[in-house]
Amino acid sequence: MNILLLGSGGREHALAWKIAASPLTERRYCAPGNAGVAQECELVALDVAEHAAVIAFCRANDIGLVVVGPEAPLCAGIVDDLTAAGIRAFGPSKAAARLEGSKGFTKDLCKANKIPTAAYERFKAAAPAKAYVQKCGAPIVIKADGLAAGKGVVVATSVAEAEAAIDMMFGGGLGEAGAEVVIEEFLEGEEASFFALCDGETAIPLVSAQDHKRVFDGEQGPNTGGMGAYSPAPVMTPQLSERAMNEIVLPTVRAMKAMGAPYKGVLYAGLMITAQGPKLIEYNVRFGDPECQVLMLRLMSDLVPALLACCDGMLKNFDLRWYPDAALTVVMAAKGYPGNYAKGSVIEGLDRAAEIEGVEIFHAGTKAEGGKIVANGGRVLNVSALGKSVAEAQARAYQAIDRIRWPDGFYRRDIGFRAVEREKAGR
Ligand code: AMP
């Protein structure tokens, strides 16, 4: 089968690497990809927003499966358009992608189906939103309804900060995404990422993973797309995973089917593990980046039949096998990220870094130029490793990083610290 992958980040390199390991694939393409993806797929200069061009490419190249990495094309309905053209595509329809595309939609779905989540209200104007904040007090969480590239959530520690966020969003600071706002209760606990493959009817959980959102060590500094991840996440015990499936994921799959928008693809539930159990913070309608990188390292089964089973409604009797090893990935980012950063600096030492046992380097924002690898984005590399424990995977990843010469990059030194502490304590 010929496969077309859409996207350009570390997530897509990890997917490409795993897809390339499948004996079911013949020719593999990726649009637009990056220098790492180019090791696994032929890169094609397609504009993913031009659905007609993507369809024409699929027809011309006999594509049997399109795998959509990021959320924007999903929310724009690329799976609907491909499906209508008779081309199989992994990912939810536009209607089902509202689980990520509209926070208000998801909150209402939770309320109607008794899915545990933070108490909330939806607002279309600043004055009633501020009145609600004054009534509830701080801490409180202000969220833009639409897609805001990770900038749409403000966890306000004071009423004044909450009001400033409301003014920013209704003042157009996030464009259309902020035309409606959700205000919700602040949840206390440890966060965990929970993933399930869905085929419209049923769902199967993937192994647990955890990412680090803040830019600096010790969870300091602004939020980012993710500075590292590891799997398993010890906070997600088997009991909690079962509760997350039964109380959150499966009721969502049933509700989406009942409203005529069956959910197919991977569903990523951002959870807060509270004293009362898991509560939904948000849904994403695609693999997390960088969680996908550690999931793909641990997946023993062929990924391609799993993706096909999601598309074809065949998950019911499907089974995934995983390596027992732990996996960890450290993001190397361009200095200045998540703010302004420069592109074009040269990265060296990748081959020697990849020689370390268990190490796999996924590219995120890179491009090949004159035989060299140069930085081409904010998050640039995902230095990843397998190990018998999170501690061993962590040690290998940092050993690999020490062999990479990239003076314009930086990274966190403490990825996986909670899991390593738990391992040390023997829990
Ligand atoms: P989101 O984009 O909805 O995942 O939110 C980004 C981050 O804000 C989450 O990863 C949490 O750390 C935090 N957050 C979001 N909602 C809440 C909440 N209700 N209570 C506490 N923290 C939250």
Side-chain angles (χ1 to χ4, degrees), residues 83-425:
T83 308
I87 299 158
R88 207 199 255 122
F90 174 80
S93 66
K94 184 175 181 173
R98 280 179 296 171
L99 286 174
E100 177 163 0
S102 167
K103 300 211 186 272
F105 170 82
T106 299
K107 298 297 289 189
D108 288 354
L109 179 127
C110 288
K111 191 189 268 180
N113 294 279
K114 301 197 168 56
I115 294 169
T117 188
Y120 74 102
E121 290 288 341
R122 301 173 72 169
F123 296 95
K124 288 203 159 101
K130 288 184 184 173
Y132 182 70
V133 162
Q134 276 151 16
K135 189 182 90 185
C136 298
I140 192 157
V141 185
I142 317 296
K143 299 186 172 183
D145 182 76
L147 289 185
K151 298 190 174 72
V153 175
V154 176
V155 179
T157 50
S158 67
V159 168
E161 198 186 333
E163 290 184 338
I166 290 167
D167 283 334
M168 179 274 284
M169 289 179 195
F170 284 118
L174 299 172
E176 263 306 289
E180 189 178 331
V181 164
V182 170
I183 301 185
E184 67 179 36
E185 168 200 9
F186 174 81
L187 296 175
E188 264 181 88
E190 189 172 333
E191 285 181 55
S193 307
F194 188 78
F195 296 87
L197 291 180
C198 305
D199 69 354
E201 290 263 342
T202 187
I204 55 173
L206 308 186
V207 288
S208 61
Q210 183 60 61
D211 75 340
H212 294 269
K213 285 253 185 305
R214 302 298 191 105
V215 70
F216 300 128
D217 284 14
E219 312 301 354
Q220 302 296 311
N223 261 328
T224 68
M227 292 301 290
Y230 55 95
S231 172
V235 64
M236 272 322 273
T237 60
Q239 292 82 351
L240 279 174
S241 292
E242 203 179 315
R243 285 188 66 180
M245 277 306 280
N246 292 333
E247 296 170 23
I248 297 175
V249 172
L250 289 171
T252 301
V253 170
R254 283 194 292 271
M256 294 303 288
K257 185 182 173 217
M259 72 170 74
Y263 189 90
K264 295 183 175 192
V266 60
L267 186 60
Y268 161 0
L271 302 179
M272 188 69 87
I273 309 305
T274 70
Q276 296 92 49
K279 289 192 180 180
L280 182 71
I281 299 177
E282 65 155 0
Y283 273 133
N284 294 302
V285 297
R286 30 80 193 179
F287 281 108
D289 183 347
E291 292 100 320
C292 183
Q293 290 79 317
V294 290
L295 294 176
M296 291 306 115
L297 280 174
R298 291 193 63 207
L299 182 60
M300 184 191 290
S301 302
D302 187 340
L303 176 65
V304 174
L307 302 180
L308 294 173
C310 292
C311 299
D312 299 344
M314 301 296 277
L315 272 187
K316 199 161 175 220
N317 297 311
F318 209 85
D319 192 26
L320 287 175
R321 299 187 65 198
W322 302 89
Y323 293 111
D325 310 54
L328 181 137
T329 186
V330 181
V331 171
M332 295 184 80
K335 280 181 186 161
Y337 174 82
N340 295 331
Y341 53 83
K343 292 182 179 179
S345 54
V346 175
I347 301 163
E348 291 177 312
L350 292 175
D351 290 345
R352 276 201 64 233
E355 282 167 9
I356 293 168
E357 192 186 346
V359 166
E360 203 61 54
I361 297 173
F362 296 121
H363 292 223
T366 65
K367 96 180 163 185
E369 219 172 62
K372 293 199 153 82
I373 301 290
V374 301
N376 192 39
R379 293 188 295 168
V380 173
L381 294 169
N382 306 142
V383 182
S384 318
L386 283 164
K388 283 190 189 59
S389 58
V390 176
E392 186 177 58
Q394 185 196 53
R396 287 172 167 176
Y398 284 114
Q399 224 184 318
I401 283 183
D402 289 340
R403 293 188 177 185
I404 295 173
R405 290 185 306 283
W406 181 34
D408 292 330
F410 77 99
Y411 54 91
R412 278 181 61 166
R413 263 280 162 200
D414 64 346
I415 299 304
F417 73 89
R418 286 193 194 85
V420 171
E421 275 167 18
R422 278 194 166 97
E423 283 176 356
K424 274 195 196 135

